[in-house]
Amino acid sequence: MIDEEPVAAADLVGARLTGVTAARHQRQSATAPHLSHLWLHLERLGPVLFRTPGEGLSFRSDAAGPATTTGTTATTTDPADLPLTRFLGQPIRSVSAVEYRDGGTAFTAGLALGFEGGRVRVLGLDGALLVVGPDGHLGGVEARLHEDTALARVVRTCSSSPSQWNAWTTGGRYLYFRYRHGEGSVEHFPGGPDPDAWDEEGSGLLARWHDGSRRGEIALADFLVLAGLRLAPNSEVLDGR
């Protein structure tokens, strides 16, 4: 992912979407809106500008915000046909990278942003930003897009206050799940489940939400739905308490 004055993906988690500004690409598609620039107006972060250098996604803070035009392309605010607009007022629950793989070609194509009620992918492909909603499909391109969100192994380490698990994705990433006082979170630590090996480098928050309760216990299936994760076929689920 290519960043200038970057906002980290983890910074987006928990930020409330207050507005969307889009600049259209001259070339359009029936499968998803094609944009040249996209600003997400986020509570506590301000405007965050998304664009593509050709393949992949660049995103950074943009304190000035969008101008009335970008080159010769007019901008629109909260366009009704943009999938993100339906989630105005909601916090971003989860963020995951979307990888493009095709033979020897591989790069980070964009981000999947999780909200209550669905996910939106913002992708940089072939010189355009594509915004793909929960029901959107990019045809044959879909087979080349991958997210490391399937779990190969999950071990419960505490049943309540907090509910807590260690988990590993099919791609080998270690994730730490925690739920307490109605708040759930998913964090990635490259050092694995030993807290003594955790440090900031390479670590990151992947999901956070509050369900409005004060509960300290949640079933794994419910946690995964809220976190935007899933069990892989033949996954191993263990009780390590």
Side-chain angles (χ1 to χ4, degrees), residues 187-192 194-204:
E187 295 177 88
H188 164 57
F189 295 101
D194 180 5
D196 291 336
W198 293 355
D199 57 41
E200 292 186 4
E201 186 175 357
S203 302

Side-chain angles (χ1 to χ4, degrees), residues 68-175:
T68 54
T69 59
T70 303
T72 59
T73 306
T75 61
T76 56
T77 301
D78 301 339
D81 66 331
L82 205 65
L84 282 159
T85 303
R86 76 179 75 170
F87 299 110
L88 285 174
Q90 293 190 22
I92 298 173
R93 278 185 172 177
S94 63
V95 176
S96 61
V98 181
E99 303 290 331
Y100 179 96
R101 302 174 198 156
D102 184 21
T105 301
F107 58 89
T108 302
L111 295 177
L113 308 177
F115 297 89
E116 182 180 356
R119 298 161 68 254
V120 176
R121 290 174 292 169
V122 182
L123 307 172
L125 294 171
D126 195 23
L129 287 181
L130 304 181
V131 182
V132 186
D135 303 319
H137 195 277
L138 296 177
V141 176
E142 293 287 352
R144 299 189 284 274
L145 298 176
H146 303 272
E147 296 178 54
D148 191 17
T149 55
L151 304 174
R153 186 168 186 257
V154 182
V155 180
R156 187 160 199 159
T157 57
C158 189
S159 60
S160 65
S161 296
S163 291
Q164 199 165 263
W165 295 265
N166 293 324
W168 289 263
T169 68
T170 54
R173 284 195 305 168
Y174 164 72
L175 306 179

